[in-house]
Amino acid sequence: MTDPEELAERVRDGDVRIHELEDHADDDTAAEARRLFVERETNADLETVGEYAFPAEQAEPNIENMIGAAQVPMGVVGPVSVHGGAANGDHYLPLATTEGALLASVNRGLAVIRAAGGADARVTKNGMTRAPVFRVDGVAEAAETVEWVEDNLETLRDAAESTTSHGELLDVEPYVVGDSVYLRFAYDTKDAMGMNMATIATGEACEVVEAETPASLVALSGNLCSDKKPAAINAVEGRGRSVTADVVIPGELVEDRLHTTADAIAEANTRKNLIGSAKAGSLGFNAHAANVVGAAFLATGQDEAQVVEGANTITTMNTREREDGTTDLYASVSLASLEVGTVGGGTKLPTQAEALEVLGLRGGGDPPGSNADALAEIIAVGALAGELSLLGALSSRHLASAHEDLGR
């Protein structure tokens, strides 16, 4: 049975379950049958949803019950001029978004950064985490478990790394809360974002912990990881890649391109991003870093839910006096938990793979991990550009008029 119309009717009649259509037809036919079924059930027109440009089987590892594809407009900003530990030179950064004026704003910031000679960027820490939670009888057994873990890191490393040819266990940090013991495993996952790798490896290590200690595993994830949720532990300890980018912009360039002053931007950043964020109890002390992170994630096939951690960014800006009395602007962004990869997951989908090709970062790097490091550095400079442009618009009081001019 390969006719999508007949398959849709069989689903409607209850003869075939919607999630079993691949058992009756190829992936594209199954997707079309589901789409027809949904159209008839909801009276929606899904013609555009059904116009996707790749074989449905290529998306099989990434989605279930496929009916088509959501098309998000993709643009490009740049060149992103970066002097990084892994990324050097000029790179065009694809961004996918539905927010008008975003790319124009980031491009303006990037033009200022290029005119200033480019931004420096470095990945300062790398470690994808998974933190299982164990049950013990009380604090005595908790202490016994922690002591064993601290004395047997190599045993845990052997168990964890037996599940992967690429990942490396970096550390295991114990936390005790009453009769609960949390073990925060951290891995170098090379060019993969590595969440699945860390989960599978940690599962193997947990079996050893259970066999050698009084602890009993309750959940492979105890939320101390912490994945896809705002979490102070990620702001302090990092998750994925911690990356920082900075630039010094001459005062005359600030005035010429951003139509304000270094003093005004620094004050706006302090009062908005630092004091305002503190008063709000925010974990991100920035203007809109998630805008660039989210758009880059959609374009390059990252896990879009991890924008939560990518927004965990601190923006700093201050003035620097030159010998001739002029005032320059120092600007930086520090993304504590940017989770990116260039292999695996959504990076293998056709449009996302093409976006990574634009960056020259598709697939694994040489040495391993260098492509993901480079992607993190480029995104960080893009976020820095967005912060500069928005704070420039705010301190010059041009934000509303800029949106009006662009017809938003």
Side-chain angles (χ1 to χ4, degrees):
M1 177 71 69
T2 58
D3 181 74
E5 293 276 355
E6 292 184 32
L7 280 173
E9 286 303 315
R10 292 189 63 186
V11 172
R12 196 169 191 176
D13 293 340
D15 295 336
V16 177
R17 295 182 180 182
I18 195 168
H19 62 275
E20 295 176 342
L21 282 171
E22 278 85 1
D23 295 337
H24 300 267
D26 62 79
D27 289 335
D28 283 301
T29 302
E32 184 178 355
R34 283 194 200 92
R35 188 165 61 253
L36 291 171
F37 169 77
V38 173
E39 284 183 332
R40 292 165 185 174
E41 289 292 301
T42 65
N43 294 319
D45 183 353
L46 300 179
E47 179 181 359
T48 306
V49 170
E51 293 294 330
Y52 51 93
F54 55 88
E57 65 180 22
Q58 290 192 5
E60 190 275 332
N62 304 100
I63 195 166
E64 299 79 42
N65 291 347
M66 181 174 170
I67 62 170
Q71 300 177 65
V72 180
M74 186 188 298
V76 66
V77 295
V80 180
S81 183
V82 54
H83 313 296
N88 275 291
D90 292 338
H91 301 264
Y92 286 95
L93 174 61
L95 299 176
T97 184
T98 57
E99 181 180 348
L102 174 60
L103 271 73
S105 177
V106 175
N107 249 341
R108 182 172 82 135
L110 288 173
V112 173
I113 289 173
R114 286 198 304 277
D120 291 326
R122 295 292 188 278
V123 172
T124 57
K125 192 175 182 180
N126 177 20
M128 177 51 68
T129 60
R130 179 52 89 202
V133 56
F134 297 83
R135 179 198 317 111
V136 293
D137 281 344
V139 68
E141 286 192 359
E144 180 183 346
T145 301
V146 168
E147 182 178 359
W148 185 90
V149 168
E150 291 175 340
D151 290 343
N152 291 275
L153 181 59
E154 285 303 317
T155 300
L156 293 176
R157 179 174 287 117
D158 290 343
E161 293 180 5
S162 70
T163 67
T164 173
S165 58
H166 301 291
E168 296 179 16
L169 178 61
L170 301 173
D171 192 24
V172 182
E173 185 70 24
Y175 297 83
V176 175
V177 181
D179 60 357
S180 296
V181 176
Y182 299 82
L183 300 178
R184 195 170 190 256
F185 288 73
Y187 298 87
D188 181 354
T189 57
K190 308 305 179 185
D191 285 303
M193 181 271 283
M195 191 67 267
N196 289 339
M197 184 189 301
T199 299
I200 294 169
T202 301
E204 190 73 17
C206 284
E207 293 185 10
V208 178
V209 174
E210 284 194 298
E212 299 294 336
T213 76
S216 297
L217 181 67
V218 175
L220 190 53
S221 173
N223 269 12
L224 211 70
C225 313
S226 178
D227 191 35
K228 301 175 183 176
K229 292 166 284 292
I233 195 168
N234 290 341
V236 176
E237 297 294 337
R239 187 170 197 259
R241 282 164 166 84
S242 299
V243 56
T244 294
D246 67 3
V247 64
V248 176
I249 303 173
E252 57 271 22
L253 189 59
V254 174
E255 296 178 11
D256 181 52
R257 297 292 186 89
L258 297 176
H259 311 295
T260 184
T261 65
D263 285 308
I265 289 183
E267 181 181 10
N269 184 72
T270 298
R271 296 185 186 275
K272 169 184 168 63
N273 286 343
L274 304 184
I275 300 174
S277 296
K279 179 63 176 175
S282 175
L283 288 178
F285 287 63
N286 61 83
H288 68 145
N291 250 335
V292 174
V293 172
F297 273 25
L298 287 174
T300 61
Q302 311 305 314
D303 189 331
E304 65 271 20
Q306 290 178 329
V307 174
V308 172
E309 292 100 295
N312 204 346
T313 298
I314 297 176
T315 299
T316 66
M317 296 195 183
N318 54 63
T319 58
R320 291 187 176 180
E321 299 296 326
R322 296 209 305 250
E323 290 183 0
D324 62 5
T326 58
T327 302
D328 297 337
L329 177 69
Y330 171 83
S332 79
V333 290
S334 296
L335 291 77
S337 45
L338 187 66
E339 296 149 344
V340 294
T342 58
V343 299
T347 67
K348 295 185 291 185
L349 290 169
T351 55
Q352 288 79 0
E354 289 176 6
L356 287 169
E357 285 183 356
V358 170
L359 286 156
L361 298 175
R362 181 179 180 182
D366 184 17
S370 58
N371 274 3
D373 282 349
L375 179 59
E377 291 172 354
I378 294 168
I379 290 174
V381 176
L384 176 60
E387 296 291 279
L388 281 167
S389 185
L390 178 52
L391 286 162
L394 288 168
S395 60
S396 66
R397 304 188 181 184
H398 288 165
L399 181 63
S401 60
H403 280 265
E404 288 174 358
D405 291 344
L406 289 168
R408 312 306 184 196

